[in-house]
Amino acid sequence: MDWKEVLRRRLAAPQADPKKKKSEQELKDEEMDLFTKYYSEWKGGRKNTNEFYKTIPRFYYRLPAEDEVLLQKLREESRAVFLQRKSRELLDNEELQIPPMIGEEAMINYENFLKVGEKAGPKCKQFFTAKVFAKLLHTDSYGRISIMQFFNYVMRKVWLHQTRIGLSLYDVAGQGYLRESDLENYILELIPTLPQLDGLEKSFYSFYVCTAVRKFFFFLDPLRTGKIKIQDILACSFLDDLLELRDEELSKESQETNWFSAPSALRVYGQYLNLDKDHNGMLSKEELSRYGTATMTNVFLDRVFQECLTYDGEMDYKTYLDFVLALENRKEPAALQYIFKLLDIENKGYLNVFSLNYFFRAIQELMKIHGQDPVSFQDVKDEIFDMVKPKDPLKISLQDLISSNQGDTVTTILIDLNGFWTYENREALVANDNENSADLDDT
């Protein structure tokens, strides 16, 4: 019986003299006395509550201040020793060797799985559990799992732990996240270990690092806090793409689609240099207008330079990278968030008929300049609302755009004449592609 129950029964018991009424204060004092007495008994006879509070373990440790150099060094060294110890607890390459499989895929049941676990070394114990077996058990009618699948699972887990330890070594604050400078140092020191980057000149390293880091921060730091959780880095596929460059035989197609490859980085930086006509290392609005097919509207470009970080009205390479990442990944929520902020001219958190018309008028003007008959805004507006199907029939929120899976089409219609023309003539283009395919089949 706990102290609360004892106290409740004592208070519920009849008083010695029910005819004698006690004041409210007396009743409160008596209740407090009883509470103190039984609580002290319940806690092992401690009558001094201060003595009890002293036994609470310490759970907060203040971080050293910037001027406490000795404490900072001590903390860094202790973290390094801790991470080294964790690294030694992981399976190494020799321990991860598996004999080649011949013939049908080898399977193992739970009983034998446990027997292997008993004979495995202490480093392997964490993998030979019922939880792991259940994760890998799928449709085998005999209740077995694939040995190769299990091996791949172990490899992936070890790789994640190794990578987490490697990233944590660059976590200067020791708080589980990397700042921009931390991630820059990590990637800079990673370059010599990636054979696909052997051809990069050292003078280009700083631009390559900037290009690589921006992708992490653009997608993983949407609130622009200047730091990313190490867990988020491990959970996304970007690190896999980056470490894919260890493959010496990586295909040309894979390199072209990998943002972190040398050809991709050189392409993006080369575009930046080509746009920079006055060679001052920055892009003006006029220079940026030549991006892509040079058919983005001036209204949209005005919003880019109003909302994005610029220096004396010009854009640097880092800001340009955000711009490119947004336009090349318009299906992604982070990219839609970037563009939505530019389209939300009234900063209301939604797009209404006025804001849609504001941007589409610029498309109509470009159509006139190119000798095309302008399309009715009313028709385009109705199509946009039909595509998005917002919760509010008069307002389109960012979440509406993301949920509709039509955000890339809607944003393209509003900011780029070439994109709008492609959308408007999509049926004719599809028919033309089919005809071309048929002609090739005939030949």
Side-chain angles (χ1 to χ4, degrees):
M1 185 184 302
D2 62 16
W3 65 269
K4 294 181 181 178
E5 181 63 19
V6 173
L7 178 59
R8 188 186 67 77
R9 292 189 177 185
R10 288 296 182 94
L11 291 176
Q15 301 297 318
D17 185 3
K19 294 182 180 179
K20 185 179 178 182
K21 293 184 178 180
K22 295 182 180 181
S23 66
E24 186 177 343
Q25 184 61 44
E26 286 176 329
L27 289 172
K28 286 184 178 180
D29 292 341
E30 185 176 318
E31 183 180 334
M32 181 55 67
D33 291 339
L34 285 170
F35 173 81
T36 305
K37 176 184 176 182
Y38 294 122
Y39 185 74
S40 298
E41 291 176 0
W42 180 69
K43 277 299 180 183
R46 290 192 185 98
K47 294 183 180 179
N48 186 353
T49 54
N50 290 331
E51 179 186 346
F52 167 69
Y53 289 136
K54 287 179 182 177
T55 64
I56 297 176
R58 184 176 180 182
F59 59 88
Y60 171 73
Y61 294 86
R62 180 181 64 84
L63 290 176
E66 291 184 3
D67 57 343
E68 296 175 319
V69 180
L70 187 59
L71 287 177
Q72 284 187 342
K73 290 294 182 183
L74 176 63
R75 188 167 183 272
E76 289 176 12
E77 288 299 318
S78 62
R79 284 188 70 250
V81 170
F82 169 76
L83 293 172
Q84 288 171 2
R85 187 174 76 247
K86 285 294 183 183
S87 181
R88 288 194 295 270
E89 292 174 1
L90 299 175
L91 295 166
D92 57 33
N93 291 335
E94 292 183 2
E95 294 168 318
L96 283 170
Q97 295 298 322
I98 187 171
M101 299 292 179
I102 301 175
E104 295 183 3
E105 185 176 12
M107 308 291 284
I108 187 170
N109 61 26
Y110 185 60
E111 183 180 353
N112 291 330
F113 179 77
L114 292 180
K115 288 180 181 178
V116 175
E118 290 174 359
K119 295 182 179 181
K123 291 183 180 180
C124 301
K125 295 294 184 184
Q126 60 178 309
F127 300 113
F128 288 89
T129 64
K131 185 177 180 180
V132 171
F133 190 90
K135 278 183 179 180
L136 301 176
L137 183 62
H138 296 300
T139 58
D140 184 69
S141 57
Y142 297 99
R144 303 170 301 177
I145 64 171
S146 163
I147 293 177
M148 186 55 69
Q149 281 187 348
F150 173 69
F151 177 71
N152 291 335
Y153 172 84
V154 174
M155 286 276 287
R156 178 67 179 173
K157 280 289 185 181
V158 171
W159 179 84
L160 283 172
H161 286 302
Q162 287 174 341
T163 307
R164 178 164 190 161
I165 291 171
L167 288 169
S168 296
L169 290 171
Y170 293 84
D171 176 12
V172 176
Q175 296 294 293
Y177 60 78
L178 296 185
R179 301 168 303 175
E180 200 163 338
S181 57
D182 301 331
L183 191 56
E184 286 174 350
N185 291 332
Y186 172 76
I187 292 178
L188 182 62
E189 295 184 19
L190 192 66
I191 290 177
T193 69
L194 305 175
Q196 288 294 334
L197 300 181
D198 286 345
L200 283 183
E201 296 182 6
K202 288 192 175 181
S203 59
F204 185 68
Y205 277 12
S206 60
F207 295 102
Y208 175 82
V209 169
C210 181
T211 305
V213 168
R214 280 325 297 162
K215 181 159 187 175
F216 283 95
F217 274 84
F218 182 82
F219 289 103
L220 302 182
D221 182 28
L223 298 179
R224 303 297 179 255
T225 61
K227 57 188 180 184
I228 308 174
K229 288 182 180 179
I230 291 176
Q231 285 183 334
D232 292 341
I233 295 175
L234 293 171
C236 75
S237 63
F238 301 156
L239 208 54
D240 290 332
D241 294 340
L242 180 60
L243 297 179
E244 186 182 42
L245 302 181
R246 288 175 175 171
D247 185 0
E248 296 184 8
E249 299 179 357
L250 191 64
S251 67
K252 185 177 180 181
E253 182 181 355
S254 297
Q255 291 186 51
E256 290 175 352
T257 57
N258 189 330
W259 174 267
F260 303 100
S261 70
S264 177
L266 291 168
R267 170 185 65 83
V268 175
Y269 187 64
Q271 288 174 346
Y272 183 78
L273 293 180
N274 289 334
L275 293 173
D276 182 20
K277 293 301 181 182
D278 58 7
H279 306 295
N280 68 342
M282 310 277 278
L283 297 183
S284 64
K285 176 192 161 187
E286 182 183 350
E287 289 171 330
L288 186 63
S289 68
R290 289 191 287 272
Y291 174 82
T293 56
T295 53
M296 284 186 294
T297 66
N298 283 328
V299 170
F300 175 68
L301 293 173
D302 285 339
R303 289 292 295 154
V304 171
F305 279 82
Q306 287 170 7
E307 291 291 333
C308 300
L309 180 64
T310 56
Y311 303 88
D312 293 329
E314 294 198 318
M315 176 185 291
D316 70 349
Y317 185 54
K318 189 179 292 186
T319 306
Y320 173 76
L321 287 172
D322 286 346
F323 178 80
V324 173
L325 286 165
L327 295 185
E328 290 188 356
N329 300 275
R330 294 184 214 188
K331 289 183 178 292
E332 298 296 327
L336 287 175
Q337 180 181 355
Y338 176 97
I339 301 174
F340 185 88
K341 184 180 179 182
L342 303 178
L343 299 178
D344 183 13
I345 53 176
E346 298 178 289
N347 198 27
K348 290 183 175 180
Y350 60 82
L351 306 180
N352 53 22
V353 174
F354 172 79
S355 51
L356 297 180
N357 187 35
Y358 179 81
F359 284 95
F360 191 72
R361 277 188 302 176
I363 294 288
Q364 291 173 320
E365 290 298 322
L366 283 179
M367 295 181 76
K368 292 178 183 177
I369 292 173
H370 288 81
Q372 302 174 9
D373 294 329
V375 176
S376 167
F377 167 70
Q378 194 66 32
D379 295 339
V380 172
K381 183 260 295 182
D382 291 341
E383 284 191 48
I384 289 176
F385 275 90
D386 285 343
M387 281 191 286
V388 177
K389 295 181 175 60
K391 292 180 179 179
D392 187 323
L394 299 177
K395 301 173 183 177
I396 298 176
S397 67
L398 173 59
Q399 190 55 51
D400 290 330
L401 272 184
I402 295 172
S403 302
S404 70
N405 292 322
Q406 298 291 333
D408 58 323
T409 303
V410 172
T411 53
T412 299
I413 288 172
L414 296 173
I415 68 176
D416 185 356
L417 174 62
N418 186 61
F420 172 75
W421 185 88
T422 302
Y423 170 77
E424 192 70 6
N425 296 276
R426 60 193 180 282
E427 294 179 359
L429 292 173
V430 169
N432 189 43
D433 288 341
N434 291 336
E435 289 179 6
N436 292 336
S437 299
D439 292 340
L440 288 174
D441 292 338
D442 293 339
T443 56

